[in-house]
Amino acid sequence: MTEERLQYYQTMLEAKLNSYLPETGPQQADVAAAMRYSLLEGGKRIRPILLLEFCRVCGGNPEKVLPFACAVEMIHTYSLIHDDLPCMDDDNMRRGRPSNHIMFGEASALLAGDALLTMAFEIMSGEEAVSAVGAERAIKAANILAFRAGAAGMIGGQQIDLMSEGRGITLDILRTMDEKKTGALISAACRMGCALAGAGAEKEEAAGRYAWAMGLAFQIVDDILDATGTEEELGKPVHSDAGRDKNTYVSFLGLSEASTEAQRLTKAAVDELDSFGAEATFLKELTEELCTRRK
Amino acid sequence: MTEERLQYYQTMLEAKLNSYLPETGPQQADVAAAMRYSLLEGGKRIRPILLLEFCRVCGGNPEKVLPFACAVEMIHTYSLIHDDLPCMDDDNMRRGRPSNHIMFGEASALLAGDALLTMAFEIMSGEEAVSAVGAERAIKAANILAFRAGAAGMIGGQQIDLMSEGRGITLDILRTMDEKKTGALISAACRMGCALAGAGAEKEEAAGRYAWAMGLAFQIVDDILDATGTEEELGKPVHSDAGRDKNTYVSFLGLSEASTEAQRLTKAAVDELDSFGAEATFLKELTEELCTRRK
């Protein structure tokens, strides 16, 4: 069942994302092509799926809020493009393919990121989104996303990452970094789903607590996979963290304790879903799957 | 009179912009400091002033729409920061001071730009903005801005700029580039002012035509100043266009014809303001001033 619904969501999302960035002409070396390259190929679409599913478990119609789900994925994608740039993490590979700036050059990658970030807000404030859920809910969703994608959230996490690379940081700082860098956007997606369905503040807070635990578990699993997986399995360079002398949950806790911590957080996340009732079964299964994944 | 109202607007804007980015602590080398550096020092604040004034001539209250004016200035500022980066124009100076990335490093400059872009939408979708003008107008204003700041507007202009540097382009392409790169954001500001005041589509279109002519005139004057001014007067390197073999209105038309074209467009812009009645006197004076400026 989990697999079927996942596919249903993924198919919807791919089609919708595709509709926002129509195929460009023969001239591929432009910003639109760079946007397509990173947005339309690869990616698990976890964040938009969480948005759609939280909307559904709160009684909303996922198909109506697709534009918002796409907006979240655009923000996620822009952050990866900018994060891979030479002045940031300087990563040449992403999802088993050359990074955006390797394919299109730094300038186009920079602009493609800027354009995806801007497009996310264009879509959420556009006619389709507003007529689907009304101006009040649409603008609330945009605000949830902007706040958590910004300097207090995702970008704040990038900054901690920048400042801590090559220096000794504590486990606490690592956790704060990941809460912001990864957790904030996951939190935005879950909260937006609730808000778009018109659920009250209580549900939104529960979704936020779920996202916090799930995001951290997800990140710990990421670190574990980086330490134990192969490049072939993951489609990206592995042991990159150790190679950079980067602090991770694995370097702090060791493999075994990191794994226990991931399990504890996964359980905490799943427990938060109880308040969403019987409809939350898919979300629980999805959470277990994501946090026990092997690639 | 022009001077007084300009100062009134500028004072309001500086205070409001400042309130969004409170002074950071002793640790200055972070993204917040980089955001402050570029947002809070220098700049003529033309775009936000146009927004406030178009709002006023359409019967709205400028003080109520300050958050939107600040959002426009944040978008403008982010575009300058990213534009100055080594992978783009590689400019070391801006407004008589070292560029953002020279002061804070490329990574922080990149993130500061991203954060300002995101903050613009956070503010427009935030409680203050929404309660001032209502969700409908707030989200419409955000949409006007997102569309014109994005790939179809400002970023599209940057892309043309990128692709044309060092190659021969035509005057038509130069004009299209400037319509997008400079004109789109000016157009957004003017249109947003009308929309936020609840003016109809007709007024918004007139504001758009004004912005088109004014933006182009402004850009031509910029090119003329780059060719004729001194670094001391302008606070930035001059003859930079010629040094890069960059196509400008001056290189296409010569100084005299470029100047005539600027005057023609300034008149066209001022004429568009007739439809806003007697209240538009300040806008007319401001337009004349901007398009005959000497620095």
Side-chain angles (χ1 to χ4, degrees), chain B residues 88-110:
Chain B
M88 300 286 295
D89 282 355
D90 195 12
D91 273 322
N92 290 341
M93 293 288 283
R94 164 76 64 183
R95 293 174 185 160
R97 302 186 308 157
S99 309
N100 198 289
H101 65 276
I102 299 294
M103 287 296 290
F104 297 92
E106 279 183 58
S108 289
L110 174 69

Side-chain angles (χ1 to χ4, degrees), chain A residues 27 29-32 35 78 82-83 85 87-88 106-108 110-119 121-127 130 134-136 138-140 142-147 149-151 155 158-159 162-163 167, chain B residues 27 29-32 35 78 82-83 85 87-88 106-108 110-119 121-127 130 134-136 138-140 142-147 149-151 155 158-159 162-163 167:
Chain A
Q27 181 186 29
D30 63 4
V31 175
M35 291 165 81
Y78 115 76
H82 282 189
D83 212 23
L85 284 170
C87 71
M88 300 285 296
E106 279 182 58
S108 289
L110 174 69
L111 291 180
D114 290 345
L116 283 168
L117 169 51
T118 309
M119 191 181 245
F121 290 99
E122 187 188 342
I123 287 169
M124 288 186 288
S125 60
E127 212 182 303
V130 173
E136 301 261 353
I139 206 162
K140 192 182 170 195
N143 193 247
I144 290 172
L145 182 52
F147 175 63
I155 295 175
Q158 304 268 40
Q159 187 199 334
L162 263 185
M163 290 171 59
R167 295 189 207 178
Chain B
Q27 181 185 32
D30 63 5
V31 175
M35 292 165 80
Y78 115 75
H82 282 189
D83 212 23
L85 284 171
C87 71
M88 300 286 295
E106 279 183 58
S108 289
L110 174 69
L111 292 180
D114 291 345
L116 284 168
L117 169 51
T118 308
M119 191 181 245
F121 289 100
E122 187 189 340
I123 288 170
M124 288 187 289
S125 60
E127 213 183 303
V130 173
E136 300 262 354
I139 206 162
K140 191 181 171 196
N143 194 247
I144 290 172
L145 182 51
F147 175 63
I155 294 175
Q158 304 267 40
Q159 187 197 336
L162 263 183
M163 290 171 59
R167 295 188 207 179

